[in-house]
Amino acid sequence: MSIPKTLQEWLQSIPNLQMQKRSEQWLQLLCSAEQLPALTRHLMEEEEAEFATLLVEESADALSVHYLFYLPATGNLIELKVEAPAGTELPAISDTVHAADWHEREAWDLYGLRFSGHPFLGDFVLHDDDWPEGLDPMRRSFDGKHRPDLHGSGADWAPPRLLQEEGAMVFPVGPVWGDFNESGLWLLETPGEQIRYLHTRLFYKYRGVEKIAEGRTVDQGLLLAERFAGAAAFAHAWAYCQALEQIAACQIPTRAQQLRIVFAELERIRHHAANIAEIAGSTALSVAKALAQGIVEDLLRLSARLCGHRYFFGVLTPGGLREDLDEGKIKLLRQTLPELDQRMQQLEKHLEGSSSFLDRIEEMGTLSNELARIYGVVGPIARASGRSIDLRRHLPYGQYVFLSPDVPVEQEGDGYARLRIFFAESRISVKIILDLLPFMAEGPVQSPCPIQEGHALSWVEAPSGATFHWLRCTGDGTITRLRLGTPGFRNWHAFERAIEGAAFQDFPIILATWGLSIAENDR
Amino acid sequence: MLYIIAYLLFAAGPLLALIPGRRIPALLAWLLMSSACVLAGIQGVMAIAAGQSLPLITLSLPIIGPFTFVQTPLGGLLILITSSVFAVAIPFVTRDANLYTSGRRGLFLAIAMLTLAGMIGFFLAGSIVAFIFCWELAALAIWGLITFETRQSKPVAAGLLTLALSELGSLAGLVSLLLLASAAGTPQLSGIAHAVPEMSPKLLLVAGLLAFFGFGMKAGIIPLNVWLPAAHGTAPRSTSPILSGATLNLGLYAFLRIDAPIALHQPHLGLIILSSGALTALIGIIYALVEKDMKRLLAQSSVENMGIATAGIGAGLTFAAYGHPLLGGASMVAGLYHMINHSTFKTLLFLGAGGIDASTGTHNLDELGGLMKRLPALGSFFLVGAFAIAALPPFNGFVSEWLLLESLLRVVEIPDIPVRITFALSGALLALTSGLALTCFIMLPGSALMGLPRSPQAANAKKAPLSVVLPMGLLALLALLLGLAATLVIPVLSRLAATLLGTNPTASLVPDFFHIPSQVPMAVRHALDPIGASLGAAFLPLRSLVVMHLDQTPAPVVYAMSTLLTFVVLVLMLGSVWILVRVIRQRRVTRNTLWDAGLTRLRPEMTYTATTFAAPVRVVFQGFFHPLIEENEKRHGAFVLTRSYHQVITNISERLVIRPGIRMALYIASRLARMHKGHVNTYASYILVAMVVVLIIVAGAGTR
Amino acid sequence: MSFWPYYGLQRGITTTAWPDGAEDSAGITPGRPCALQTGHAEEIAAACPTQALKAVSQAGRDGVAVDFSHCIHCQRCRHGDNALPWSTDFSWGAPSAAARPALESRFTRSLQVLYVDAGACGACVNEVRLIDAPPYNLHRLGIFVTATPRDADVLLVAGPITDAMRTAISKAYAAMPEPKRVMGMGTCAIHGGVFGESFACAGGLEKIVPVDLWLPGCPPPPLAIIHGLLSLVGRVTPAALEEQP
Ligand code: SF4
Ligand code: SF4
């Protein structure tokens, strides 16, 4: 896993570029603001790098901005680090790395870091109608304990519009809408019937997790990591624990490693089954929805029987797992899972035989392969649009190094492709678990993980895609920076492009086929 | 005599308006002109009441022929409608005339009065010369009205288009009249009507069609109706009620007057009129649905309504020609009724549109919204107009459209298959039209009055002028009365239909209470009938139940209706429910702000506009509209900065008829250009030759 | 041809008998800690990351009291030497201090619920979505979900009350017709849960609208949600927010 030769040579040819090997896998480049655009363009266009996340850290008089990329072909991490002294601007890279668009908007809202050349800064994480201009909550100087008694523009806020068409309107969906939906606002620009453009206005659920984590202990940080996106609690908790374990250079017992995979894959199946239930529900196919919900409920009960919690809260601990699975539980898993898998496959068969259902999701909410690449979507959404990316394979962690799970790919990028991906991935997950169970190692499930000063980047392929956690803590176990680069944040960004040209009544269906979590995006 | 006084007053009004100042001259002009309208209206009532034609004056002019004016009941009805429309519209006209300088104000009022004068003259015309003369006079005056605000260039184009098409139509009408007159050997219209049975069917068809399409053009009948929305949309706002409520009837009356006698002997003509009417109605309403300019929308809907009235007339003529005068009369009644109704609610709606324009400064529906709160009276009356035009009971539109659809169904009495097919198709088109009209007239008040104001003008709407609101109230009341008292109006219209078709459809109406079995001896039934009738009359005031029978057959009901009774029952039902709710449940009403799904504020740009409301129609009729779409996108990297869509919808008549026509005309003109020498005297001689030819033809027709 | 009804029938009846019968299927609830008389009270209480456990001494007996409104089911007190016993019930709905009386009888068979998400993590959302799934089938109890406050009798809020949702919640509450009740679901809604009060969260539904019923749990399982709704109409006995040893 060493850095490709050609890249190394190219980098060496650049003057004033400091290179630093953080590990065999991880190359850090300290570059200047001017060098940034050319470097990112090269990475994207020549090396086919994937954008991982962008994070800002504050030091005494400057903001250091880390642009994280990885090379799926070789499994390398490339970190571009740029210093932005107070009051300076950085060139926006979002015109070449469009996936960074929302990251830059986020950094502007939360740190007040301006990116020159970005056309849409503002009214993003912090809503203009609610939050005053110029108050940057992620800055050290801002006290995150209480809400300042300041207000935004209130009723003067006007929805963004980019459609120029006579008589067009902005059709709002949300923030409170439908039966049991997460809060978010979708502004559909339309001349009626057809949606010409969609503005996704999220962060109605912004809880400032990254800010409130600062100053808390790493133990409390785990509680946050588990609970900011409960539908993928295990994946995020795992990523968080990995970061801590990296800092402490702690070795995890094999059995714990294996059990982590078991739980993560169980969570993936449950996540996908819940998405399938929503898709069926959005097309008013209530029996299929009920069948899928039955599977979800049974998986939740199985989780609770295995580890005491329906959503795997409190299962992970740095260094391993809180509790082992005894023989009885393993047996239970072995018995239950094939039956659930069979129900899942049956449901898939029935759904594929329902032409009226397929009519409603085929060619619906299509994200072309091209757009998927430009927006750098991750997880099932990317794989449904023909991009075979899976961190379990391309940046393997834990025992996945030995497993290399299959990565299903579909080319169409439409609702049906996503449905097939959800089914295929659950099938693969079942197989991973059942293949693993006979080979469970013996021994403890926990090893000590002492607290140390340091920082680390960790990643997990969460059910909805790649998640990157960046953790920095002090020697006494206080978090100074927690960055949650979630798949939801990546995929919601591209959602606006899948709606274009769709009719009003297709909106909920498209939304369901994307199956995105707002909690995961909003953090 | 009254006519002469009325005419003098017509002239006096505008003259008074020349007096400088604002209030007093306007008031005086208004007083004089409205009393003139009232006088003319009285005359119209008298003409209807007279029940037969009365010659008024005949001026014999050399060469051209006799200039005859005759008072007919049908003409009387139109005079009544026209002068009523003028009477209610005049306050707004004089108010708006004050926006001009006093000289132009006088001119404006004079043109308006000239329109009325021309129209009344036309409705009295008895000879083809008077007919054409008054037609031209009215057409010129209308053109004057449309182009009055010449500062913008659009009205000129629209006015020229109107004039050009009107002249084209007049030419066709003139040819038809000349053909008929020469065949009949008399320039008198009544003489022509008498001579029709002897003429060849071919000639009748040609003349009938020329008259129908020629004069019908003025009523917006296909294929040349594109001028109508263009002209009415750009005319000064105060004249729109007149243009739409009154002048469109000119075309209807013209072809009815010429074609009614012909169609009785040429059944094809009636069928063509019927189907053209139905098609016109559908095309009109489809285009109305995609308009967002209130005036243009209403003008398009006028096309629709003229189509419906035409269809009624066509159906009536066909029935009569096939030997079903009773059904014919009923359809004719429906057609005439619809004409009256259209004048009522369209004047009402145009007044409303004008009033909205006056208080907000815009008539673009996308910029309005939420006016109900600021203009409650105007809004409610406007709503009544919309209900009426959408044919919702108990308002008047319902009566005529329902009568018409019912009559069309009776085509089963005619054995001819092609006739049945034509009727069925026309009925289907009309039914579709009614559905779309409902959509359209939910959209119109919905986007203008409901929701949130979408522009600062709408948010700060001024009080609506009284000169609009009061007449609107009057018209709203009339729309209700015409709906409720249908059974009083129908007999009057039946008598008018009788003068055209020779049979009075309601003469044999009996309130049918007792169905007397046919075994009962004839004598007994005859004795019982009047008892039943008088009992019915006693129980049901105003003869509110109309049951039409076919006379000879054992009394199959043609149709039965009573909007009044329905209304009474409805009021009773709702009233009792209301009382029950009041008595049984202690209801407490809490008022709350609008639920906006938790937004900070529901913004005006988030409410439906006319465009978004009508989007489904646009999508369904995409193929019909054939819109020209321009799409543009500005990008920066993968960012979409702006995206623009521009759709141009061209009226089908312009696309399929006018543009090719113009191309052909240009082609011919380029060929003819060879005749052009450029000498003034050459042109003078052309004109002289043309005039001589025309005069000889007319003279020939007159003397023969 | 659609065989969906047949596929549905094939699964048989999966709906729970609760509240008419007992329900004790495994995994239907994560359970929660019970108060305990113990000598290690201080130790146990200190291990709880959210101060949900309190060492109390009553009448000379030491013990651990559980404050469910803070417990986030972190399972720290479930294992190890000082483990607390865990119950397996789900009747968790507890009246708030300012609770209004249960709704009248005409709501017992027709209760309309409006759900507002105020920053809930996916777990609470997922559990609330399951209440109308066949295993729980909310509708059999005459409880229905509505999307507009105009029809709603109960406002059900989950999450730590994020800033951007405060307006929405108070507007929704104001738009509901009387009589109306409010139910805060999940530990987050009670005190903010792990998120607590911060610049971005109000940390407690009570700061925005009056609350009648608290439903602790992180997340409360579907049956607990149904228990909460039923206690609002007085069909089941509510629980308490605290348990003393
Ligand atoms: S499960 Fe609840 S009571 Fe036990 S330690 Fe965790 S938060 Fe405290
Ligand atoms: S109470 Fe727990 S499960 Fe519910 S939203 Fe809060 S953290 Fe998520």
Side-chain angles (χ1 to χ4, degrees), chain A residues 129 155 162 164 167 170 175-176 191 196 497 500, chain B residues 366 597 600-601 605-606 609 618 635 641 643 645:
Chain A
D129 46 345
L162 58 74
Q164 297 169 341
V170 179
V176 179
R196 295 257 201 262
R497 300 306 290 274
E500 287 165 14
Chain B
D366 286 346
T600 324
R601 178 162 80 97
E605 55 262 53
M606 295 175 181
T609 60
R618 262 204 321 275
R635 286 172 176 277
L641 298 181
R643 189 170 277 184
Y645 272 78

PDB file of all heavy atoms in Angstrom, chain A residues 129 155 162 164 167 170 175-176 191 196 497 500, chain B residues 366 597 600-601 605-606 609 618 635 641 643 645:
ATOM      1  N   ASP A 129     -32.832  32.678   8.785  1.00  0.00           N
ATOM      2  CA  ASP A 129     -33.989  33.232   9.492  1.00  0.00           C
ATOM      3  C   ASP A 129     -33.897  33.001  10.992  1.00  0.00           C
ATOM      4  O   ASP A 129     -34.681  33.535  11.754  1.00  0.00           O
ATOM      5  CB  ASP A 129     -35.308  32.661   8.939  1.00  0.00           C
ATOM      6  CG  ASP A 129     -35.248  31.160   8.749  1.00  0.00           C
ATOM      7  OD1 ASP A 129     -34.150  30.601   8.770  1.00  0.00           O
ATOM      8  OD2 ASP A 129     -36.314  30.552   8.581  1.00  0.00           O
ATOM      9  N   ALA A 155     -38.846  36.483   9.505  1.00  0.00           N
ATOM     10  CA  ALA A 155     -39.813  36.353   8.420  1.00  0.00           C
ATOM     11  C   ALA A 155     -39.312  36.935   7.112  1.00  0.00           C
ATOM     12  O   ALA A 155     -39.929  36.749   6.074  1.00  0.00           O
ATOM     13  CB  ALA A 155     -41.122  37.017   8.824  1.00  0.00           C
ATOM     14  N   LEU A 162     -33.447  29.764  -8.433  1.00  0.00           N
ATOM     15  CA  LEU A 162     -32.569  29.937  -9.581  1.00  0.00           C
ATOM     16  C   LEU A 162     -33.295  29.703 -10.886  1.00  0.00           C
ATOM     17  O   LEU A 162     -32.740  29.880 -11.952  1.00  0.00           O
ATOM     18  CB  LEU A 162     -31.319  29.059  -9.461  1.00  0.00           C
ATOM     19  CG  LEU A 162     -31.407  27.547  -9.324  1.00  0.00           C
ATOM     20  CD1 LEU A 162     -31.785  26.911 -10.634  1.00  0.00           C
ATOM     21  CD2 LEU A 162     -30.071  27.015  -8.856  1.00  0.00           C
ATOM     22  N   GLN A 164     -35.686  30.656 -13.780  1.00  0.00           N
ATOM     23  CA  GLN A 164     -36.285  31.841 -14.384  1.00  0.00           C
ATOM     24  C   GLN A 164     -37.354  31.363 -15.347  1.00  0.00           C
ATOM     25  O   GLN A 164     -37.063  30.920 -16.441  1.00  0.00           O
ATOM     26  CB  GLN A 164     -35.221  32.653 -15.123  1.00  0.00           C
ATOM     27  CG  GLN A 164     -34.156  33.172 -14.166  1.00  0.00           C
ATOM     28  CD  GLN A 164     -32.958  33.739 -14.879  1.00  0.00           C
ATOM     29  OE1 GLN A 164     -32.737  33.458 -16.042  1.00  0.00           O
ATOM     30  NE2 GLN A 164     -32.175  34.526 -14.170  1.00  0.00           N
ATOM     31  N   GLY A 167     -44.328  32.727 -13.963  1.00  0.00           N
ATOM     32  CA  GLY A 167     -45.387  32.045 -13.237  1.00  0.00           C
ATOM     33  C   GLY A 167     -44.930  30.862 -12.419  1.00  0.00           C
ATOM     34  O   GLY A 167     -45.753  30.151 -11.868  1.00  0.00           O
ATOM     35  N   VAL A 170     -42.339  28.308  -5.854  1.00  0.00           N
ATOM     36  CA  VAL A 170     -41.486  27.450  -5.045  1.00  0.00           C
ATOM     37  C   VAL A 170     -42.423  26.645  -4.165  1.00  0.00           C
ATOM     38  O   VAL A 170     -43.100  27.183  -3.309  1.00  0.00           O
ATOM     39  CB  VAL A 170     -40.548  28.287  -4.167  1.00  0.00           C
ATOM     40  CG1 VAL A 170     -39.699  27.375  -3.311  1.00  0.00           C
ATOM     41  CG2 VAL A 170     -39.679  29.170  -5.024  1.00  0.00           C
ATOM     42  N   PRO A 175     -41.042  21.995   6.861  1.00  0.00           N
ATOM     43  CA  PRO A 175     -40.251  21.012   7.597  1.00  0.00           C
ATOM     44  C   PRO A 175     -41.088  19.921   8.274  1.00  0.00           C
ATOM     45  O   PRO A 175     -40.587  18.823   8.474  1.00  0.00           O
ATOM     46  CB  PRO A 175     -39.505  21.832   8.641  1.00  0.00           C
ATOM     47  CG  PRO A 175     -40.187  23.143   8.713  1.00  0.00           C
ATOM     48  CD  PRO A 175     -40.915  23.354   7.431  1.00  0.00           C
ATOM     49  N   VAL A 176     -42.346  20.212   8.634  1.00  0.00           N
ATOM     50  CA  VAL A 176     -43.182  19.156   9.215  1.00  0.00           C
ATOM     51  C   VAL A 176     -44.060  18.626   8.101  1.00  0.00           C
ATOM     52  O   VAL A 176     -44.871  19.359   7.554  1.00  0.00           O
ATOM     53  CB  VAL A 176     -44.061  19.702  10.348  1.00  0.00           C
ATOM     54  CG1 VAL A 176     -44.915  18.590  10.912  1.00  0.00           C
ATOM     55  CG2 VAL A 176     -43.210  20.310  11.437  1.00  0.00           C
ATOM     56  N   PRO A 191     -42.989  25.163 -12.486  1.00  0.00           N
ATOM     57  CA  PRO A 191     -44.076  25.902 -13.122  1.00  0.00           C
ATOM     58  C   PRO A 191     -45.375  25.119 -12.981  1.00  0.00           C
ATOM     59  O   PRO A 191     -46.315  25.335 -13.723  1.00  0.00           O
ATOM     60  CB  PRO A 191     -43.624  25.964 -14.579  1.00  0.00           C
ATOM     61  CG  PRO A 191     -42.870  24.694 -14.765  1.00  0.00           C
ATOM     62  CD  PRO A 191     -42.262  24.331 -13.446  1.00  0.00           C
ATOM     63  N   ARG A 196     -38.542  21.593 -11.700  1.00  0.00           N
ATOM     64  CA  ARG A 196     -37.404  22.012 -12.520  1.00  0.00           C
ATOM     65  C   ARG A 196     -36.110  22.023 -11.722  1.00  0.00           C
ATOM     66  O   ARG A 196     -35.047  21.765 -12.254  1.00  0.00           O
ATOM     67  CB  ARG A 196     -37.648  23.414 -13.066  1.00  0.00           C
ATOM     68  CG  ARG A 196     -38.802  23.498 -14.006  1.00  0.00           C
ATOM     69  CD  ARG A 196     -38.323  23.566 -15.440  1.00  0.00           C
ATOM     70  NE  ARG A 196     -39.361  24.130 -16.279  1.00  0.00           N
ATOM     71  CZ  ARG A 196     -40.197  23.403 -17.000  1.00  0.00           C
ATOM     72  NH1 ARG A 196     -40.122  22.097 -16.976  1.00  0.00           N
ATOM     73  NH2 ARG A 196     -41.115  23.994 -17.725  1.00  0.00           N
ATOM     74  N   ARG A 497     -30.123  16.714  -7.625  1.00  0.00           N
ATOM     75  CA  ARG A 497     -30.002  16.498  -9.052  1.00  0.00           C
ATOM     76  C   ARG A 497     -30.821  15.317  -9.539  1.00  0.00           C
ATOM     77  O   ARG A 497     -30.959  15.112 -10.751  1.00  0.00           O
ATOM     78  CB  ARG A 497     -28.533  16.292  -9.445  1.00  0.00           C
ATOM     79  CG  ARG A 497     -27.658  17.468  -9.097  1.00  0.00           C
ATOM     80  CD  ARG A 497     -28.183  18.775  -9.671  1.00  0.00           C
ATOM     81  NE  ARG A 497     -28.069  18.859 -11.109  1.00  0.00           N
ATOM     82  CZ  ARG A 497     -26.977  19.271 -11.738  1.00  0.00           C
ATOM     83  NH1 ARG A 497     -25.917  19.626 -11.051  1.00  0.00           N
ATOM     84  NH2 ARG A 497     -26.949  19.344 -13.043  1.00  0.00           N
ATOM     85  N   GLU A 500     -34.786  16.551 -10.739  1.00  0.00           N
ATOM     86  CA  GLU A 500     -35.094  17.389 -11.898  1.00  0.00           C
ATOM     87  C   GLU A 500     -35.965  16.669 -12.902  1.00  0.00           C
ATOM     88  O   GLU A 500     -35.678  15.550 -13.305  1.00  0.00           O
ATOM     89  CB  GLU A 500     -33.791  17.811 -12.575  1.00  0.00           C
ATOM     90  CG  GLU A 500     -33.068  18.834 -11.755  1.00  0.00           C
ATOM     91  CD  GLU A 500     -31.628  19.000 -12.182  1.00  0.00           C
ATOM     92  OE1 GLU A 500     -31.283  18.525 -13.270  1.00  0.00           O
ATOM     93  OE2 GLU A 500     -30.866  19.581 -11.404  1.00  0.00           O
TER      94      GLU A 500
ATOM     95  N   ASP B 366     -50.293  36.258 -12.092  1.00  0.00           N
ATOM     96  CA  ASP B 366     -49.149  35.811 -11.304  1.00  0.00           C
ATOM     97  C   ASP B 366     -48.688  36.872 -10.311  1.00  0.00           C
ATOM     98  O   ASP B 366     -47.910  36.579  -9.409  1.00  0.00           O
ATOM     99  CB  ASP B 366     -47.990  35.413 -12.228  1.00  0.00           C
ATOM    100  CG  ASP B 366     -48.277  34.081 -12.913  1.00  0.00           C
ATOM    101  OD1 ASP B 366     -49.212  33.399 -12.463  1.00  0.00           O
ATOM    102  OD2 ASP B 366     -47.592  33.750 -13.885  1.00  0.00           O
ATOM    103  N   ALA B 597     -46.775  24.296   7.892  1.00  0.00           N
ATOM    104  CA  ALA B 597     -45.837  23.170   8.022  1.00  0.00           C
ATOM    105  C   ALA B 597     -44.613  23.541   8.836  1.00  0.00           C
ATOM    106  O   ALA B 597     -43.594  22.888   8.738  1.00  0.00           O
ATOM    107  CB  ALA B 597     -45.416  22.627   6.655  1.00  0.00           C
ATOM    108  N   THR B 600     -40.893  29.430   8.911  1.00  0.00           N
ATOM    109  CA  THR B 600     -40.904  30.703   9.618  1.00  0.00           C
ATOM    110  C   THR B 600     -42.075  31.540   9.131  1.00  0.00           C
ATOM    111  O   THR B 600     -42.768  32.190   9.891  1.00  0.00           O
ATOM    112  CB  THR B 600     -39.600  31.477   9.357  1.00  0.00           C
ATOM    113  OG1 THR B 600     -38.543  30.547   9.279  1.00  0.00           O
ATOM    114  CG2 THR B 600     -39.349  32.478  10.442  1.00  0.00           C
ATOM    115  N   ARG B 601     -42.245  31.526   7.826  1.00  0.00           N
ATOM    116  CA  ARG B 601     -43.381  32.237   7.267  1.00  0.00           C
ATOM    117  C   ARG B 601     -43.676  31.633   5.901  1.00  0.00           C
ATOM    118  O   ARG B 601     -42.750  31.324   5.155  1.00  0.00           O
ATOM    119  CB  ARG B 601     -43.061  33.725   7.092  1.00  0.00           C
ATOM    120  CG  ARG B 601     -44.190  34.508   6.477  1.00  0.00           C
ATOM    121  CD  ARG B 601     -44.013  35.984   6.732  1.00  0.00           C
ATOM    122  NE  ARG B 601     -43.063  36.606   5.822  1.00  0.00           N
ATOM    123  CZ  ARG B 601     -43.412  37.262   4.721  1.00  0.00           C
ATOM    124  NH1 ARG B 601     -44.674  37.370   4.374  1.00  0.00           N
ATOM    125  NH2 ARG B 601     -42.502  37.828   3.961  1.00  0.00           N
ATOM    126  N   GLU B 605     -44.291  33.560  -2.729  1.00  0.00           N
ATOM    127  CA  GLU B 605     -43.797  32.779  -3.871  1.00  0.00           C
ATOM    128  C   GLU B 605     -44.021  31.291  -3.680  1.00  0.00           C
ATOM    129  O   GLU B 605     -43.752  30.503  -4.559  1.00  0.00           O
ATOM    130  CB  GLU B 605     -42.321  33.070  -4.148  1.00  0.00           C
ATOM    131  CG  GLU B 605     -41.371  32.863  -2.985  1.00  0.00           C
ATOM    132  CD  GLU B 605     -41.056  34.175  -2.279  1.00  0.00           C
ATOM    133  OE1 GLU B 605     -42.020  34.875  -1.890  1.00  0.00           O
ATOM    134  OE2 GLU B 605     -39.865  34.498  -2.115  1.00  0.00           O
ATOM    135  N   MET B 606     -44.512  30.912  -2.487  1.00  0.00           N
ATOM    136  CA  MET B 606     -44.796  29.504  -2.256  1.00  0.00           C
ATOM    137  C   MET B 606     -46.257  29.174  -2.517  1.00  0.00           C
ATOM    138  O   MET B 606     -46.699  28.071  -2.220  1.00  0.00           O
ATOM    139  CB  MET B 606     -44.450  29.137  -0.813  1.00  0.00           C
ATOM    140  CG  MET B 606     -42.976  29.248  -0.504  1.00  0.00           C
ATOM    141  SD  MET B 606     -42.682  28.932   1.224  1.00  0.00           S
ATOM    142  CE  MET B 606     -40.916  29.162   1.321  1.00  0.00           C
ATOM    143  N   THR B 609     -49.622  29.857  -8.431  1.00  0.00           N
ATOM    144  CA  THR B 609     -49.947  30.915  -9.377  1.00  0.00           C
ATOM    145  C   THR B 609     -50.901  30.316 -10.409  1.00  0.00           C
ATOM    146  O   THR B 609     -51.140  29.116 -10.409  1.00  0.00           O
ATOM    147  CB  THR B 609     -48.685  31.384 -10.110  1.00  0.00           C
ATOM    148  OG1 THR B 609     -48.151  30.265 -10.812  1.00  0.00           O
ATOM    149  CG2 THR B 609     -47.642  31.899  -9.140  1.00  0.00           C
ATOM    150  N   ARG B 618     -51.815  22.184 -19.269  1.00  0.00           N
ATOM    151  CA  ARG B 618     -50.741  22.408 -20.240  1.00  0.00           C
ATOM    152  C   ARG B 618     -50.093  21.088 -20.615  1.00  0.00           C
ATOM    153  O   ARG B 618     -49.774  20.848 -21.778  1.00  0.00           O
ATOM    154  CB  ARG B 618     -49.683  23.334 -19.644  1.00  0.00           C
ATOM    155  CG  ARG B 618     -49.829  24.768 -20.054  1.00  0.00           C
ATOM    156  CD  ARG B 618     -48.515  25.526 -19.962  1.00  0.00           C
ATOM    157  NE  ARG B 618     -47.707  25.175 -18.826  1.00  0.00           N
ATOM    158  CZ  ARG B 618     -47.824  25.693 -17.614  1.00  0.00           C
ATOM    159  NH1 ARG B 618     -48.742  26.604 -17.390  1.00  0.00           N
ATOM    160  NH2 ARG B 618     -47.043  25.317 -16.641  1.00  0.00           N
ATOM    161  N   ARG B 635     -23.901  27.705 -15.683  1.00  0.00           N
ATOM    162  CA  ARG B 635     -23.195  26.850 -14.742  1.00  0.00           C
ATOM    163  C   ARG B 635     -21.868  27.450 -14.338  1.00  0.00           C
ATOM    164  O   ARG B 635     -21.294  28.278 -15.032  1.00  0.00           O
ATOM    165  CB  ARG B 635     -22.886  25.497 -15.392  1.00  0.00           C
ATOM    166  CG  ARG B 635     -24.058  24.590 -15.542  1.00  0.00           C
ATOM    167  CD  ARG B 635     -23.611  23.395 -16.368  1.00  0.00           C
ATOM    168  NE  ARG B 635     -24.688  22.431 -16.469  1.00  0.00           N
ATOM    169  CZ  ARG B 635     -24.956  21.533 -15.528  1.00  0.00           C
ATOM    170  NH1 ARG B 635     -24.222  21.484 -14.434  1.00  0.00           N
ATOM    171  NH2 ARG B 635     -25.943  20.691 -15.681  1.00  0.00           N
ATOM    172  N   LEU B 641     -26.230  27.693 -11.749  1.00  0.00           N
ATOM    173  CA  LEU B 641     -26.447  29.056 -11.230  1.00  0.00           C
ATOM    174  C   LEU B 641     -27.860  29.533 -11.522  1.00  0.00           C
ATOM    175  O   LEU B 641     -28.571  29.982 -10.638  1.00  0.00           O
ATOM    176  CB  LEU B 641     -25.427  30.016 -11.827  1.00  0.00           C
ATOM    177  CG  LEU B 641     -23.965  29.702 -11.480  1.00  0.00           C
ATOM    178  CD1 LEU B 641     -23.038  30.722 -12.089  1.00  0.00           C
ATOM    179  CD2 LEU B 641     -23.763  29.643  -9.976  1.00  0.00           C
ATOM    180  N   ARG B 643     -31.355  28.684 -14.249  1.00  0.00           N
ATOM    181  CA  ARG B 643     -31.926  27.811 -15.262  1.00  0.00           C
ATOM    182  C   ARG B 643     -33.153  28.557 -15.762  1.00  0.00           C
ATOM    183  O   ARG B 643     -33.948  29.034 -14.960  1.00  0.00           O
ATOM    184  CB  ARG B 643     -32.319  26.511 -14.591  1.00  0.00           C
ATOM    185  CG  ARG B 643     -32.719  25.435 -15.535  1.00  0.00           C
ATOM    186  CD  ARG B 643     -32.838  24.150 -14.780  1.00  0.00           C
ATOM    187  NE  ARG B 643     -31.536  23.502 -14.621  1.00  0.00           N
ATOM    188  CZ  ARG B 643     -31.390  22.312 -14.060  1.00  0.00           C
ATOM    189  NH1 ARG B 643     -32.422  21.673 -13.592  1.00  0.00           N
ATOM    190  NH2 ARG B 643     -30.198  21.764 -13.974  1.00  0.00           N
ATOM    191  N   TYR B 645     -36.479  28.791 -18.452  1.00  0.00           N
ATOM    192  CA  TYR B 645     -37.400  28.115 -19.370  1.00  0.00           C
ATOM    193  C   TYR B 645     -38.299  29.170 -19.931  1.00  0.00           C
ATOM    194  O   TYR B 645     -38.815  30.005 -19.196  1.00  0.00           O
ATOM    195  CB  TYR B 645     -38.266  27.099 -18.614  1.00  0.00           C
ATOM    196  CG  TYR B 645     -37.664  25.746 -18.508  1.00  0.00           C
ATOM    197  CD1 TYR B 645     -36.666  25.509 -17.583  1.00  0.00           C
ATOM    198  CD2 TYR B 645     -38.081  24.700 -19.322  1.00  0.00           C
ATOM    199  CE1 TYR B 645     -36.098  24.255 -17.469  1.00  0.00           C
ATOM    200  CE2 TYR B 645     -37.516  23.453 -19.209  1.00  0.00           C
ATOM    201  CZ  TYR B 645     -36.521  23.229 -18.283  1.00  0.00           C
ATOM    202  OH  TYR B 645     -35.965  21.999 -18.171  1.00  0.00           O
TER     203      TYR B 645
END
